[in-house]
């Protein structure tokens, strides 16, 4: 029939698996979706399994939709169910609520959830949540819930808030009181319902005697508990995963389940998809060389199908501005798809600005909107605003203690009470209780802000850092502010790159507002875009002809909190995922200087540069080259 799929021997062997538990370890680009669809057809046509008796679950909606679309394109006559684990759990929960008459409302990532968590946060920390803190808070909730952590586990994890378990407890109490549930609750309630109702459990076990799970490396301990609960006595569980692509530990992903699969299911079959259909041979072996440095993993063979054409490259640039110009040039010359990948969203900000200025269309996953509200950028804008409008009390109050003006709380209070039409600086100079040397300091500060007003934005930011002492403030307060100095320099570098072509502080302020509006607009649709900007997390499951990875900087990637072995191995897996998105060309771009300071190579750059190929790998690359 026309919908029959062409399979490799390894795919065919795995797709012929019938009953009992099995785990298929699939390297990147090895055709796992083809395998899953082929097995569905095999079960129906060759093993006489009813299509309605097979449930295919996956971690993300994007993956479920992709699988459904790929299957629909075959025009096969059978109807299969592809859905996320959350959607399946919600179906159980919804049916139970209909039968019991309970009225509960889904609490998604909307403004209401932010308001609830913000009120809880303020109870313990008095201030409001920033966007970054909100994201950390929600990730911590998911981690605690999905790994079923207890208070005694707190010291084993790098939680951002010391009162996290108190806050999570308050959150669950609030949800219960107001009859709310969130996405993590779906899994929890589905398990609770099935355990308490044997008839309901038997119904689902009889309805779905065959279960397939894709992206199992991203599945949590709680989700695995639900899946195991659904298994009938034959345990017909077919799992496809790659432990090397498990990159969601901060949300509760539990790759240890895969590593202990044979202990859980003694009779389990293990299959390997080792052929990479995506990448240049040298990219495949570079990725293999790097991921093998992780110890807590399956040792898997990797074999490229495509010949070696272009080795992965490392390129150095003097600074961010030179690097961005190089990227712009490469984008404009490229004939095929281009992806620029990075660890953190701040890396996209200066690139978005450059692409917008040059009218280059692009698609961006997870636009860095929160970065435009980041406290560090707001500080820089306050300096510039105060230079332009020296009566601006709001800006003055924000930065008074963040510069070398030696301003006390009494001086700040006096300015707020006595400014009366004067400038902030004139009021400071005229404070009656100051000693003469203190007044001279304020006169100097007034002159510095006059100088600041006349500077171009690039030079203005450097002036704020040095002459006004802002960099010293950051160095003294990085621990309290929860950032590394390298992370602060990364942001300052981005702001300077945005300001490089601008003439005044007013232009910079206006440009930031323009970027805010620009990022709120819909970008080019993903399927139409030649250029994609994405975090590496957001790129998972995608592939591009050309991949440029940027900002692999010390203390940022791997992060400054990756001292623990497990955390470092997950960061390395993330680097591996980024590398394996590339089909023909991969370049790792580094800047020698970050905001004027020497930017030493991160651990992953050193590993990339010192990769060691086995003799088989080198022979394979040479053989492919000679054949080509």
């Amino acid at each position: 029939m026309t919908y029959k799929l062409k399979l490799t021997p390894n795919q065919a062997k795995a797709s012929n698996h019938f009953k009992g538990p099995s785990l298929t370890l699939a390297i990147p680009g090895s055709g796992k979706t083809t395998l899953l669809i082929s097995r569905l057809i095999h079960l129906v046509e060759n093993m006489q399994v009813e299509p309605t008796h097979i449930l295919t679950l996956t971690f993300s909606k994007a993956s479920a939709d992709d699988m459904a679309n790929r299957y629909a394109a075959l025009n096969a006559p059978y109807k299969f169910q592809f859905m996320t684990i959350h959607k399946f759990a919600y179906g159980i929960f919804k049916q139970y609520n209909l039968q019991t008459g309970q009225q509960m409302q889904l609490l998604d990532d909307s403004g209401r959830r932010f308001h609830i968590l913000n009120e809880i946060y303020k109870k313990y920390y008095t201030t409001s949540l920033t966007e970054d803190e909100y994201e950390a808070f929600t990730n911590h909730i998911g981690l605690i819930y999905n790994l079923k952590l207890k208070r005694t586990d707190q010291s084993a994890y790098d939680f951002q808030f010391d009162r996290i378990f108190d806050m999570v407890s308050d959150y669950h109490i609030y949800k219960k009181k107001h009859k709310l549930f969130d996405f993590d609750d779906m899994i929890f309630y589905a398990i609770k319902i099935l355990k308490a109702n044997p008839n309901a459990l038997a119904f689902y076990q009889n309805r779905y005697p065959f279960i397939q799970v894709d992206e199992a490396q991203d599945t949590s301990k709680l989700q695995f508990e639900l899946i195991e609960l659904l298994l009938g006595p034959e345990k017909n569980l077919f799992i496809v995963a790659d432990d090397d692509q498990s990159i969601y530990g901060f949300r509760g992903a539990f790759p240890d389940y895969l590593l202990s699969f044979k202990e859980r299911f003694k009779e389990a079959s293990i299959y390997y998809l080792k052929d990479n259909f995506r990448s240049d041979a040298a990219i495949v072996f570079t990725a293999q060389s790097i991921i093998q440095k992780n110890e807590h993993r399956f040792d898997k063979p990797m074999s490229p199908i495509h010949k070696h054409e272009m080795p992965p490259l490392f390129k150095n640039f003097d600074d961010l501005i030179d690097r961005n110009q190089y990227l712009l040039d490469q984008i404009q010359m490229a004939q095929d798809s281009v992806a620029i990948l990075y660890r953190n969203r701040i890396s996209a900000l200066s690139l978005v600005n450059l692409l917008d200025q040059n009218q280059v269309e692009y698609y961006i996953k997870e636009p860095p909107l929160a970065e435009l509200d980041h406290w560090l950028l707001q500080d820089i804008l306050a300096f510039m605003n105060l230079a332009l409008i020296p009566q601006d009390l709001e800006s003055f109050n924000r930065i008074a203690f963040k510069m070398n003006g030696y301003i006390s709380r009494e001086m700040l209070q006096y300015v707020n009470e006595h400014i009366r039409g004067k400038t902030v600086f004139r009021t400071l100079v005229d404070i009656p209780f100051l000693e003469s040397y203190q007044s001279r300091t304020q006169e100097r500060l007034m002159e510095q802000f006059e100088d600041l007003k006349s500077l171009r934005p690039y030079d203005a930011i450097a002036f704020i850092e040095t002459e006004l002492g802002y960099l010293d403030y950051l160095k003294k307060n990085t621990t309290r502010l929860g950032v590394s100095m390298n992370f602060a320099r990364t942001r300052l570098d981005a702001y300077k790159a945005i300001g490089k072509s601008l003439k005044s502080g007013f232009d910079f302020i206006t440009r930031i507002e323009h970027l805010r509006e620009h990022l709120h607009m819909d970008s080019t649709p993903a399927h139409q875009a030649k250029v994609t900007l994405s975090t590496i997390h957001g790129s998972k499951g995608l592939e591009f002809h050309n991949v440029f990875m940027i900002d692999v900087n010390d203390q940022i990637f791997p992060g400054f909190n990756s001292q623990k072995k497990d955390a470092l191995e997950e960061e390395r897996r993330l680097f591996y995922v980024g590398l394996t998105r590339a089909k023909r060309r991969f370049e790792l771009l580094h800047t020698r200087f970050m905001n004027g300071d020497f930017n030493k190579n991160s651990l992953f750059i050193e590993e990339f540069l010192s990769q060691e190929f086995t003799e088989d790998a080198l022979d394979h690359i040479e053989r492919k080259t000679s054949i080509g």
Side-chain angles (χ1 to χ4, degrees):
M1 292 184 184
T2 57
Y3 56 81
K4 292 293 186 181
L5 297 165
K6 185 178 180 180
L7 304 177
T8 66
N10 289 313
Q11 287 173 321
K13 185 177 180 181
S15 70
N16 287 334
H17 180 86
F18 183 31
K19 291 188 175 181
S22 75
L23 169 62
T24 300
L25 294 163
I27 70 166
S30 60
K32 64 184 180 64
T33 303
T34 299
L35 163 65
L36 287 160
I37 291 173
S38 178
R39 182 171 182 265
L40 287 172
I41 295 171
H42 168 74
L43 288 176
V44 173
E45 293 193 343
N46 301 325
M47 311 311 295
Q48 288 72 54
V49 176
E50 289 293 326
T52 54
H53 287 172
I54 310 169
L55 175 64
T56 300
L57 299 173
T58 189
F59 173 73
S60 69
K61 185 178 184 300
S63 179
D65 290 345
D66 177 62
M67 205 179 306
N69 292 335
R70 294 268 294 276
Y71 175 71
L74 296 176
N75 294 313
Y78 318 112
K79 293 189 180 300
F80 296 111
Q81 294 189 65
F82 306 96
M83 67 179 76
T84 64
I85 299 171
H86 281 97
K87 183 177 180 180
F88 178 76
Y90 179 57
I92 296 173
F93 184 47
K94 185 178 180 181
Q95 185 64 32
Y96 177 80
N97 285 340
L98 287 172
Q99 291 175 354
T100 59
Q102 286 195 78
Q103 297 291 326
M104 295 188 74
Q105 184 179 357
L106 174 62
L107 185 62
D108 58 14
D109 281 320
S110 61
R112 186 178 183 189
R113 192 177 194 221
F114 180 89
H115 174 74
I116 293 166
L117 295 181
N118 190 43
E119 291 303 309
I120 292 170
Y121 180 80
K122 286 195 292 187
K123 173 182 171 183
Y124 295 95
Y125 295 101
T126 66
T127 60
S128 293
L129 280 169
T130 64
E131 287 287 340
D132 288 344
E133 288 167 340
Y134 172 66
E135 185 175 351
F137 194 176
T138 54
N139 285 337
H140 292 346
I141 291 169
L143 183 68
I144 290 169
Y145 220 73
N146 282 287
L147 290 185
K148 304 174 73 173
L149 301 180
K150 300 178 176 62
R151 287 178 184 269
T152 52
D153 297 316
Q154 181 160 352
S155 61
Y157 293 86
D158 293 319
F159 291 114
Q160 188 169 324
F161 316 108
D162 57 352
R163 303 296 297 274
I164 185 62
F165 278 88
D166 292 322
M167 294 194 296
V168 170
S169 177
D170 287 355
Y171 174 55
H172 289 316
I173 290 169
Y174 183 95
K175 285 187 296 180
K176 189 173 182 180
K177 179 180 177 181
H178 293 86
K179 297 186 182 302
L180 300 169
F181 68 98
D182 61 21
F183 284 98
D184 293 321
D185 290 321
M186 291 179 189
I187 310 293
F188 175 80
Y189 283 128
I191 293 170
K192 189 175 181 181
I193 290 164
L194 294 179
K195 283 185 174 180
N197 296 273
N199 290 338
L201 177 58
F203 169 79
Y204 285 105
Q205 287 179 336
N206 291 329
R207 184 177 179 182
Y208 299 116
F210 290 87
I211 296 176
Q212 297 192 146
V213 181
D214 187 22
E215 296 185 309
Q217 72 277 352
D218 299 326
T219 305
S220 72
K221 185 183 289 187
L222 199 67
Q223 290 164 351
F224 278 126
E225 184 177 341
L226 173 60
I227 291 165
E228 285 197 3
L229 194 59
L230 294 169
L231 296 178
E234 290 182 322
K235 294 183 170 49
N236 297 324
L237 175 62
F238 187 82
I239 283 182
V240 180
D242 182 5
D243 56 305
D244 289 331
Q245 294 189 72
S246 182
I247 57 174
Y248 293 106
F250 61 93
R251 293 181 189 167
F254 190 58
D256 283 1
Y257 185 92
L258 305 176
L259 294 165
S260 62
F261 196 77
K262 284 289 284 185
E263 296 172 19
R264 294 171 180 275
F265 302 100
K266 303 293 185 187
E267 70 281 23
S269 300
I270 307 293
Y271 304 101
Y272 293 90
L273 299 190
K274 67 181 182 64
D275 297 312
N276 182 298
F277 294 92
R278 177 185 299 157
S279 303
D280 180 293
I283 293 173
V284 172
F285 287 118
T286 298
Q288 184 179 37
S289 172
I290 288 170
I291 199 61
Q292 284 176 339
K293 298 183 188 304
N294 276 1
E295 297 177 9
H296 198 55
R297 61 183 293 270
F298 287 104
D299 187 17
K300 295 180 287 295
M302 298 176 70
S303 180
I305 298 298
H306 296 292
K307 66 181 182 180
H308 168 55
E309 294 178 358
M310 186 175 185
L313 298 175
F314 173 75
K315 291 192 174 179
N316 246 325
F317 300 87
D318 283 341
D319 56 31
L320 183 67
I321 293 165
D322 285 347
R323 188 207 67 192
N324 284 359
Q325 185 59 49
Y326 172 78
L327 282 168
L328 178 63
D329 293 342
Q330 297 307 304
I331 287 168
Q332 292 174 331
M333 289 190 296
Q335 300 298 311
D336 300 307
S337 58
V338 175
I340 301 171
L341 305 182
Y342 36 82
R343 177 67 176 82
N344 300 301
R345 275 172 271 188
I346 179 60
S347 297
L349 193 59
S350 63
L351 283 167
V352 165
N353 177 69
L354 188 62
L355 295 178
D356 176 52
Q357 287 177 324
N358 287 272
Q359 299 180 320
V360 176
E361 292 189 349
Y362 64 92
Y363 168 71
I364 183 167
K365 296 194 70 170
E366 305 168 309
L369 278 165
E371 286 299 332
L372 296 172
D373 294 318
H374 195 276
W375 57 264
L376 206 155
L377 177 57
Q378 296 308 309
D379 283 354
I380 296 298
L381 291 173
F383 276 104
M384 291 187 178
N385 271 315
L386 188 57
L388 293 168
I389 309 171
Q391 296 86 2
D392 185 353
L393 267 179
E394 183 180 350
S395 293
F396 175 66
N397 287 329
R398 180 180 185 91
I399 60 174
F401 303 137
K402 299 178 181 179
M403 53 185 172
N404 54 9
Y406 303 101
I407 297 168
S408 66
R409 295 196 178 278
E410 292 77 16
M411 293 165 68
L412 180 64
Q413 182 179 348
Y414 182 90
V415 171
N416 277 276
E417 292 174 353
H418 296 87
I419 189 167
R420 295 172 187 169
K422 295 190 291 185
T423 69
V424 164
F425 306 107
R426 188 73 261 168
T427 310
L428 279 169
V429 171
D430 292 342
I431 294 176
F433 55 78
L434 294 186
E435 299 289 343
S436 59
Y437 74 90
Q438 292 175 302
S439 295
R440 287 195 297 273
T441 298
Q442 300 313 310
E443 287 173 353
R444 178 181 56 83
L445 188 65
M446 181 163 56
E447 291 169 358
Q448 286 176 316
F449 270 83
E450 276 294 317
D451 293 338
L452 177 60
K453 182 170 64 174
S454 64
L455 294 175
R456 297 174 72 99
Y458 182 93
D459 297 321
I461 296 171
F463 188 88
I464 291 166
E465 293 174 308
T466 55
E467 299 303 314
L468 290 173
Y470 186 64
L471 211 54
D472 288 336
Y473 160 78
L474 290 176
K475 289 175 181 176
K476 292 173 184 175
N477 291 275
T478 48
T479 302
R480 180 181 63 81
L481 295 170
V483 296
S484 71
M485 199 58 209
N486 275 15
F487 217 140
R489 290 188 183 280
T490 298
R491 286 191 163 91
L492 291 166
D493 226 11
Y495 308 154
K496 286 181 179 176
I498 292 170
K500 182 65 175 178
S501 63
L502 305 176
K503 295 181 179 179
S504 69
F506 177 78
D507 290 343
F508 184 81
I509 295 165
T510 304
R511 187 67 194 165
I512 295 298
E513 283 307 308
H514 169 80
L515 288 174
R516 193 186 308 278
E517 294 173 9
H518 174 70
L519 286 170
H520 269 108
M521 296 169 62
D522 291 334
S523 62
T524 304
H527 66 280
Q528 296 178 12
K530 183 180 81 171
V531 181
T532 297
L533 273 61
S534 176
T535 61
I536 304 174
H537 282 101
S539 73
K540 191 164 173 288
L542 303 177
E543 61 183 30
F544 309 90
H545 283 86
N546 307 282
V547 171
F548 300 90
M549 190 184 293
I550 61 173
D551 288 350
V552 184
N553 295 330
D554 188 48
Q555 297 186 40
I556 293 173
F557 191 23
F560 73 102
N561 59 349
S562 300
Q563 301 303 313
K564 295 180 180 177
K565 181 180 175 182
D566 288 348
L568 176 60
E569 292 208 349
E570 175 155 329
E571 289 277 283
R572 189 177 284 113
R573 292 195 293 268
L574 186 61
F575 185 84
Y576 171 80
V577 166
L579 177 53
T580 54
R581 299 311 92 199
K583 297 172 76 172
R584 294 294 174 269
R585 176 188 186 188
F586 177 88
E587 292 188 10
L588 179 57
L589 309 184
H590 183 65
T591 59
R592 293 185 183 89
F593 295 93
M594 182 166 60
N595 198 43
D597 266 23
F598 179 69
N599 184 24
K600 72 174 185 178
N601 290 347
S602 84
L603 171 65
F604 293 157
I605 288 178
E606 293 297 336
E607 291 180 355
F608 181 86
L609 293 174
S610 63
Q611 58 193 287
E612 296 179 2
F613 294 138
T614 64
E615 287 189 17
D616 286 345
L618 288 169
D619 179 60
H620 186 99
I621 292 173
E622 290 296 325
R623 189 169 66 252
K624 289 284 187 181
T625 304
S626 62
I627 291 172

